[in-house]
Each structure stands twice: as C-alpha cells, then as structure tokens.
Amino acid sequence: MSRARAAIILAAGQGTRMKSELPKVLHVVGGRPLIDWSLAIAAELQSARTVAVLAANSEPVAVRVRAALGEGSIAIQNPPRGTGDAARAAAKAMAGFEGDVIVYFGDTPLVRPATLASMFEARARADIIMLGFRPADPTGYGRIVTDAAGGFIKNVEHKDASEEERKVTLCNAGPLVADAKVLFDLLGKLTDNNAQREFYLTDVPGLARAAGMKVAIVEASEAELLGVNSRAQLADAEAAFQKRARTEAMERGVTLIDPASTFFCYDTQIAPDVIIEPNVFFGPGVSIAKNSRIKAFSHVEGAEIGEGVQVGPFARLRPGAKLETGVKIGNFVEVKNATLGPKAQASHLAYIGDATVGARANLGAGTITCNYDGFGKYLTEIGEDAFIGSDTALVAPVKVGARATTGAGSVITKDVPDGTLAVARGQQKNLEGWSDRFRAKKQAEKDKK
Ligand code: UD1
Ligand code: CA
C-alpha cells in the first residue's frame, strides 16, 4: 500500500523581483496564473490534503485557492521569513495528517506531476527526497553539495555560497518530500543564521543528515524547473511552456507551419490533421476538431471549432464562439458568443456577436450584429440557408428566417419571415445627365481662373 500524500504550496513570498503590484503567483504562463498551475499539480498528485501558504495581503490569490480546494486550505504566513518558516505556517492545517508531504513552490509552474510523483516513490529508499536540476545558468539558485559518489552533503543558497560552492552545477529546484511528522520536527529546528536572515526550507535535508537520516536527490530537466522570480524568468518559463506545447501538438499529429510563431495555452486541444498557419495565438478554452485550418494572424480564445472548419487569415474568435462542421470564417471577421451551424459562412469583414446562425447561411461582407445598446446584450437569430446581403446591420433582438434574404446595406430592425426578402435602405433615384452638367460647370469655373 502506498502512503497517503499531502501537499504544501509556498506562495507567500513578496515577489519583489517582479516589480509588480500583482502578487507573483497571479502572473501568467501559458494563459494560466502560476497559482493555478500549482493547484493543478496537487490535484494530479492525488494529494489527500493540500495547503497553500499565502501572505496576509493576498486575497486575490486566496480566492483562487478557495475555489479549487475549499475553506481550510489556506495558511497565512505573516510576516514572510523564508521558505522554511512558510512551510512551518502550514503545520496547523496539516495537523493529524499521517503520510508523506511534498512542499513545493508556487513560482515553479512547469514541474511535471510525474516528476513529483517519482519523488514520493523515492521515499522507499530515503527519508528526505530533494529535486535537483542543472540549469544553464545557476546564478541565484541554491546549490546541492554532494560527495564524489553523488551522496548529499548539504544545501547552500547562492547568497551564502563561497566562490568554490558557486561552481557546483547541481541546483535545488525547490520541492522536498518527507514524512509529515519528520518534516515538522525538522522545521522546528531551523535557525535564521544566514545571509538573508531567513528560515530556509533548504536547511531541512542538512538537519536530517545530521540526525542520521538518509537524503536522496531526484533529478529532472531545467525546462520543467525554471523558477519565476523576475520578468525575464517569466519570459523564460513562457518560452519553455510554448516549446513543450508545440512539440506535444506536433507529436499528436498537428501541422504547425511555423511552430515558433504559434502560441498555445495550457488547455489548447487540437485534433490530428489540423493545420495551423504562422502567427496564430490561442487563449484559454480552445478546441479544434480534425481537418480544420487556422490561417495566419488569427487570435482564438474560448472557441469550439468543429471538423473541416476554416478560420482566417486575420480572424478573431472570442469566448462562446462555436463553429460547427465545415464553417468558413474569413479575413477580418470577429465571432463572439455565437454558434454557426454546419457550412455557414462569413468570408469577410463581419461582426457576429450573441447570435445563432443556421446551417449553410451566408453572411456577406460587412454584416454586423448590433448586439449592444450600451446597457444590455441582445440575440440575433439567423435561419438555415439565409442570405445576409453585404453591409447589413442586424439590430438585435431580431430574427431572420430560414431561406430569407436581406438586401445589401439594409438596417434590419424587424423580424424577417422565412423565405422573405427584406430591404431596409433609402430608395435609389437616378438624375439623368446631372453629373455631366455638374462637371462641365465646375471645369468652366476652374478654366476662368
Ligand atoms: C528557492 C530556494 C533555492 C532554490 C530556488 C528554486 C530556499 C531558501 N531557496 O530560492 O534553493 O534553488 O528556490 O527556484 O528555499 N515563499 C514564502 N514565504 C517566504 C519566502 C518564500 O511563501 O517567506 C515562497 C515564495 O512565494 C516562492 C517560494 O517560496 O513561491 C520560493 O521563494 P523564493 O524567494 O522565490 O526563493 P528563491 O530565492 O527562488
Ligand atoms: Ca523562486
């Protein structure tokens, strides 16, 4: 029987290096705030009890934690006095838990749950499990000092390290696993005798070793262990996420013509044989079924895209856009909170907001759903096989029936019955010869000067 698992997420640091009014863990990687990455990790680890340690003034973070874990899942660390002190702050919320606890940082979003799971498994061979990695640039990270055989000797923070110790390439990624009782016993023994006058979580393995316990180190790749402390590291983490997402998409059978300019979100779902042209951005909540094509320079978020759909170039799909099989959305078309039935088309220059569009309906260039009067939002309903003439303004709430047609340039304010033509624009008047007379007169005036 494997032991019960619990998780402590540390997110009470001030994040001063971000130079931001926003708490560090609300900054976003891959379209998701860092705290949500951490909460998702705990869920994947099947943590029986998860506690997030937050600063006293972080209600916007607390809201997200409560939404995911419920009341009682938050411990407040006030004032913040280091990572060890933060872990200690979770003691009360962890009281009575028996099993292994993982402590990990809210600023390391890309760590793979499988990596952390392997730390729990490593508890079979040691008392304390650390996670190490070898970053290209170790500056700032704590170093793990080992003996010739790779056995753990001690941790030393960058700021406390000697010249010699700074040459160590094995760095501490942050996460640590131990039996709950052992962990809190050792946390109680920490001192703040160091460069930052903080209680370091990283001193726990050293204390364990001194007490005759065994410390083991699991190693993983830099791409999943980048810590976010500054805007530059935020960008590094984003780049690492995008690289991972692009690789995974291509492995699943998606064609990315230019992977480097295709931007994914943490939850983007794309089926095989979809083709993504260059310069496409996906926000949260996008799914795309097979054989669709997203053409260049499109911005897509909160959209459900069916099979064999074409979008773009230069299209914008906003939350609630649902495009059924074979829909065609062309250049400079925006769709928001609207369902387009099979094979419906809007090929150029249109705004379709708060609408339902029937199968095979055709929306001409310049079709606008006037869905907003400054106060409320209203629905436009367009029936199957309807033909909306170019430059039609549909003033919602309004219904255009099946097989109905609207004349180009119409402002439609009343429902149009099935099979009917609606024309709502000024009548054309032709004044014969007027233009020739006007031009002759003007030319004569000009010639006289
Ligand atoms: C920490 C580690 C370092 C490791 C690095 C990996 C310590 C002492 N150092 O350094 O060995 O290489 O992470 O990324 O653990 N936090 C609190 N309360 C506090 C201080 C921090 O909750 O009083 C939280 C922060 O919100 C953050 C995490 O703990 O999520 C790590 O703190 P941070 O200050 O970023 O530590 P690093 O200097 O990056
Ligand atoms: Ca950090």
Side-chain angles (χ1 to χ4, degrees):
M1 249 285 286
S2 62
R3 291 158 57 80
R5 296 172 177 182
I8 300 174
I9 302 168
L10 304 189
Q14 293 299 290
T16 44
R17 288 167 280 180
M18 292 299 284
K19 311 256 167 65
S20 177
E21 286 184 4
L22 199 65
K24 178 161 82 175
V25 291
L26 293 185
H27 285 268
V28 167
V29 167
R32 169 153 84 168
L34 302 185
I35 188 67
D36 289 20
W37 282 96
S38 300
L39 294 165
I41 288 166
E44 285 216 39
L45 288 173
Q46 296 182 313
S47 159
R49 194 182 301 183
T50 303
V51 176
V53 181
L54 308 180
N57 57 349
S58 48
E59 187 50 26
V61 182
V63 167
R64 305 190 82 87
V65 174
R66 262 186 242 117
L69 302 172
E71 288 298 333
S73 55
I74 294 170
I76 300 294
Q77 183 200 21
N78 188 20
R81 292 187 300 167
T83 50
D85 178 64
R88 214 150 53 184
K92 213 173 132 201
M94 277 293 162
F97 173 80
E98 284 179 17
D100 288 334
V101 180
I102 185 163
V103 183
Y104 62 95
F105 298 169
D107 68 353
T108 312
L110 301 180
V111 59
R112 290 184 189 270
T115 300
L116 301 183
S118 74
M119 293 177 69
F120 279 109
E121 282 147 25
R123 273 279 290 114
R125 54 186 167 90
D127 300 288
I128 307 278
I129 315 299
M130 296 180 58
L131 185 58
F133 71 127
R134 298 176 193 272
D137 176 13
T139 310
Y141 290 111
R143 308 299 203 283
I144 306 178
V145 181
T146 54
D147 59 25
F152 174 81
I153 296 180
K154 67 167 184 173
N155 285 319
V156 54
E157 284 305 293
H158 182 90
K159 283 185 181 150
D160 300 298
S162 64
E163 278 301 309
E164 211 48 39
E165 287 166 335
R166 285 185 185 178
K167 287 185 190 144
V168 170
T169 55
L170 182 61
C171 291
N172 169 37
L176 183 146
V177 174
D179 169 77
K181 185 169 176 327
V182 168
L183 175 70
F184 287 111
D185 281 353
L186 294 173
L187 287 172
K189 295 186 180 136
L190 293 176
T191 61
D192 63 355
N193 187 14
N194 53 54
Q196 302 182 81
R197 302 233 67 89
E198 286 185 354
F199 297 92
Y200 291 163
L201 178 66
T202 46
D203 285 345
V204 163
L207 290 170
R209 183 171 176 262
M213 287 184 244
K214 201 163 169 231
V215 178
I217 305 158
V218 167
E219 276 194 53
S221 80
E222 172 173 25
E224 60 176 299
L225 297 175
L226 292 164
V228 176
N229 302 297
S230 62
R231 304 283 179 157
Q233 288 177 323
L234 183 70
D236 289 345
E238 182 69 38
F241 166 76
Q242 293 299 342
K243 189 159 181 257
R244 181 195 285 188
R246 290 162 187 157
T247 304
E248 285 174 2
M250 291 187 282
E251 279 169 359
R252 280 196 309 271
V254 178
T255 293
L256 306 180
I257 293 178
D258 178 20
S261 73
T262 306
F263 292 86
F264 290 92
C265 212
Y266 72 99
D267 63 348
T268 309
Q269 284 176 27
I270 307 183
D273 290 322
V274 168
I275 298 172
I276 313 287
E277 294 186 2
N279 294 295
V280 170
F281 185 94
F282 296 111
V286 172
S287 65
I288 308 177
K290 65 183 182 188
N291 297 325
S292 290
R293 188 175 186 110
I294 311 297
K295 298 184 184 175
F297 296 99
S298 293
H299 190 282
V300 180
E301 57 183 325
E304 186 183 334
I305 299 174
E307 268 182 54
V309 167
Q310 296 209 26
V311 173
F314 299 98
R316 180 168 185 206
L317 302 183
R318 291 171 51 205
K322 185 173 179 209
L323 311 182
E324 295 180 355
T325 308
V327 163
K328 223 181 121 196
I329 295 297
N331 40 277
F332 308 107
V333 173
E334 175 178 341
V335 181
K336 183 218 74 167
N337 189 33
T339 297
L340 278 76
K343 293 197 172 160
Q345 299 200 8
S347 297
H348 358 248
L349 301 160
Y351 173 59
I352 310 163
D354 302 308
T356 59
V357 178
R360 300 170 304 279
N362 185 85
L363 279 54
T367 297
I368 305 284
T369 54
C370 308
N371 61 326
Y372 184 51
D373 60 7
F375 295 92
K377 299 272 167 74
Y378 307 96
L379 186 67
T380 299
E381 293 169 79
I382 298 171
E384 291 185 3
D385 298 297
F387 185 95
I388 307 299
S390 294
D391 206 17
T392 296
L394 298 155
V395 183
V398 73
K399 276 187 205 176
V400 177
R403 304 176 317 284
T405 299
T406 67
S410 289
V411 177
I412 303 294
T413 55
K414 288 188 287 206
D415 289 355
V416 183
D418 292 355
T420 300
L421 167 67
V423 184
R425 62 183 185 221
Q427 290 275 337
Q428 181 170 333
K429 198 155 76 174
N430 286 352
L431 302 180
E432 223 173 288
W434 183 95
S435 182
D436 281 344
R437 289 194 299 277
F438 175 77
R439 291 156 72 111
K441 183 176 148 218
K442 288 293 179 192
Q443 192 60 50
E445 282 168 14
K446 200 172 175 186
D447 292 347
K448 239 188 257 168
K449 277 182 196 156

